Amino acid sequence: MTISTVMKKLYLATAGVTCLTLATLGSGKAQAVDTVIDFDSLLDLEIVDNQFLNQGVDFNGTASILQLGSSLNSLFPPVSANNLIYDNPSLGNGIIRVDAVNSLWSSVGGFVTGTTNVTLTAYASDNSILGAVSTGGANFQDAGTGLLPNIFLSLTAPDISYITFQDSGNTYTVDNFTFSSQSVPEPTSMLGFFALGAFSATSFVKRKQPQNAATKA
């Protein structure tokens, strides 16, 4: 097999892999990564602050844990296990604020039970409102409004920076806080890798050519 034939095959193989990579990366879409915070790893009455930073969430010390069978009133049942959070009045004005850490969110939600209407509001990084949704009224157990406990409030919008839960000043609870962040592929680094491979293959053939010529002589 001649040197030119070898180089041609290497070139075609490398070009094919590079084109395949470009096609794959070009058609790839950002994948939503769902995360659920159930608060069951925390202690009863513990203030919820930065315990979940490694999962991309900061609760800013605006809520506390209530535990079923201890501090939690049974009229506000948790969704899973025993723990949930509430708007501890000693921590502020009844607003629970939750910030996205490292990556903005594309959707966010939580199971809410309250003694009055509770609203979830999503904000962009410039503090503009991206959307809001409410429970519609009291929905604790046997509230008499026809609303069941643990209404799942959720919003979907691009680039959610933070959200708030808020009512008119009465107690409410939130369980299983859920959000989705975006995971985006990095085509530049991948293309660099294949470009390096193509360069290395060509360099190898060029180094081998004088040796093959001397052998034939």
Side-chain angles (χ1 to χ4, degrees):
M1 185 181 294
T2 64
I3 295 300
S4 60
T5 302
V6 173
M7 290 184 67
K8 183 177 181 181
K9 288 186 175 183
L10 283 172
Y11 173 80
L12 291 174
T14 305
V17 172
T18 304
C19 288
L20 178 60
T21 304
L22 279 169
T24 302
L25 292 174
S27 61
K29 296 181 180 179
Q31 297 180 348
V33 180
D34 295 329
T35 301
V36 178
I37 307 293
D38 59 16
F39 310 106
D40 294 326
S41 62
L42 303 184
L43 300 176
D44 189 27
L45 301 179
E46 182 175 350
I47 294 175
V48 187
D49 192 3
N50 57 8
Q51 295 96 326
F52 302 101
L53 288 181
N54 63 337
Q55 293 177 264
V57 183
D58 186 358
F59 284 87
N60 300 288
T62 57
S64 291
I65 295 293
L66 292 179
Q67 189 174 86
L68 188 64
S70 181
S71 60
L72 179 61
N73 188 319
S74 60
L75 296 179
F76 298 79
V79 173
S80 60
N82 297 316
N83 288 0
L84 43 65
I85 61 174
Y86 85 112
D87 58 326
N88 188 335
S90 68
L91 299 178
N93 54 5
I95 298 176
I96 297 177
R97 171 169 170 158
V98 192
D99 284 67
V101 178
N102 298 326
S103 178
L104 298 177
W105 299 330
S106 58
S107 66
V108 66
F111 291 88
V112 179
T113 304
T115 57
T116 186
N117 186 52
V118 182
T119 300
L120 164 65
T121 307
Y123 297 85
S125 56
D126 62 359
N127 298 317
S128 60
I129 295 177
L130 297 174
V133 61
S134 301
T135 58
N139 69 316
F140 60 91
Q141 190 71 46
D142 300 325
T145 59
L147 299 174
L148 296 177
N150 291 312
I151 293 175
F152 186 68
L153 298 181
S154 65
L155 287 169
T156 299
D159 302 329
I160 299 173
S161 179
Y162 67 96
I163 64 93
T164 60
F165 292 99
Q166 184 177 13
D167 68 355
S168 57
N170 295 292
T171 299
Y172 63 90
T173 62
V174 180
D175 199 7
N176 284 20
F177 180 78
T178 305
F179 65 92
S180 296
S181 57
Q182 294 294 322
S183 177
V184 182
E186 299 179 359
T188 304
S189 59
M190 292 296 293
L191 291 177
F193 172 79
F194 284 106
L196 177 61
F199 175 79
S200 300
T202 305
S203 300
F204 173 77
V205 173
K206 287 183 178 180
R207 289 198 304 270
K208 292 291 288 183
Q209 185 171 359
Q211 182 180 351
N212 291 338
T215 302
K216 287 183 179 180

